[in-house]
Amino acid sequence: MQEVWYSNDLRVALRQLGHWRTAVALEVLGDAHMAWDAAGLTLSQRTDRLDRLTRLCRQLLAGRMNLVTGLISNAPVGGLMRDLVFSMVGNMENRRAMMQKSPETGRTLNDRMWSTDDCENEFAIIVLRCGFKPRWVIVAGLLKSIDELQAMKRDPELGLVFFQSSRKRYTHHTHCLRLDWTWFSGLLDDKNGETYLLLIADVNRRAWMQVSGSVAIRSYHQQGEFAR
């Protein structure tokens, strides 16, 4: 769906056909998705984009939020699944509450935490380490060793050097610092800039790979520069 949300050509065509509201909604969804998933935006830029999506969702839910029948109804909301809209609003409200209670969190906040990617990656590491899907009594001890190993790799005070890989001859700590700068750089907000155009090209490339069947579905994110 990224190629749909991010497509400026689609939004222009919709406006020419008189579908202004749909074009605006796609732009808001696309900007919010970047705020959640893409590197290159400052905290304030991400907040502005998510605030616009919050206002859009509340407009779509107008008349249903204060009615029991409206809340329990499974009818779509503006063409979107009800549960999806509720989940998005809930995530954004939780984010706002967390920022208000602990403003210092913004210095290290990575909005990908609101997705399920981290959980899926953790389960994948467990299965890869064990070679099978283990019972919880085994998982508990395994998670402790995985978390301790990751913490050790990223701690510059231990005096131990772990290279990122055999080709990337820099430490995990340096790698994390680079990712922090990339995540908060703010370069993605310029829709005529190189960072934004590279992201759009990468999304379109992966969409074409999916359509052409040239790569397995599970390897899309591994091959996307902005998905890492």
Side-chain angles (χ1 to χ4, degrees):
M1 289 297 293
Q2 286 177 273
E3 64 275 13
V4 176
W5 295 335
Y6 296 176
S7 175
N8 185 60
D9 293 339
L10 175 59
R11 294 196 296 269
V12 170
L14 288 169
R15 288 188 174 95
Q16 291 175 345
L17 293 172
H19 302 298
W20 285 85
R21 291 184 178 181
T22 303
V24 171
L26 283 176
E27 184 172 7
V28 171
L29 283 167
D31 286 348
H33 187 274
M34 289 185 187
W36 275 319
D37 190 67
L41 294 171
T42 64
L43 179 66
S44 60
Q45 289 168 351
R46 295 181 194 278
T47 299
D48 289 342
R49 290 172 178 231
L50 295 177
D51 284 347
R52 290 198 295 270
L53 180 59
T54 299
R55 291 194 294 270
L56 173 63
C57 289
R58 289 193 173 279
Q59 289 176 1
L60 292 174
L61 289 167
R64 291 181 60 170
M65 292 291 286
N66 299 322
L67 297 173
V68 175
T69 55
L71 292 174
I72 65 176
S73 172
N74 289 322
V77 179
L80 300 173
M81 292 185 297
R82 182 207 63 173
D83 290 347
L84 174 61
V85 177
F86 282 174
S87 296
M88 289 193 298
V89 173
N91 281 345
M92 291 182 288
E93 294 293 346
N94 289 335
R95 181 184 188 275
R96 176 174 292 279
M98 184 181 69
M99 295 296 298
Q100 289 176 346
K101 188 171 182 61
S102 304
E104 66 277 4
T105 304
R107 295 197 298 268
T108 56
L109 178 64
N110 187 316
D111 281 280
R112 284 181 182 167
M113 64 178 283
W114 305 111
S115 74
T116 60
D117 287 349
D118 287 340
C119 296
E120 293 170 1
N121 289 337
E122 192 86 354
F123 285 124
I125 292 173
I126 291 171
V127 174
L128 181 64
R129 182 73 64 87
C130 292
F132 58 92
K133 294 182 179 179
R135 299 176 61 185
W136 172 245
V137 291
I138 301 176
V139 171
L142 187 64
L143 281 177
K144 186 175 185 295
S145 66
I146 291 175
D147 292 340
E148 288 178 347
L149 178 60
Q150 293 301 318
M152 182 184 298
K153 288 181 178 180
R154 293 171 181 153
D155 189 349
E157 304 297 331
L158 288 180
L160 301 175
V161 177
F162 294 88
F163 289 114
Q164 181 67 12
S165 69
S166 59
R167 294 184 179 180
K168 299 177 181 179
R169 307 298 289 177
Y170 47 82
T171 66
H172 285 261
H173 179 66
T174 301
H175 180 61
C176 291
L177 292 178
R178 290 181 179 181
L179 290 179
D180 283 344
W181 182 89
T182 302
W183 184 260
F184 292 108
S185 69
L187 299 176
L188 188 63
D189 200 48
D190 180 6
K191 294 188 177 181
N192 293 315
E194 181 181 5
T195 302
Y196 180 85
L197 297 177
L198 285 173
L199 170 61
I200 299 302
D202 184 66
V203 168
N204 290 334
R205 179 180 66 85
R206 286 187 285 126
W208 172 248
M209 292 166 64
Q210 180 179 3
V211 173
S212 63
S214 59
V215 66
I217 292 176
R218 291 184 178 180
S219 63
Y220 289 156
H221 284 289
Q222 297 174 4
Q223 299 197 27
E225 177 66 26
F226 288 85
R228 288 196 287 270

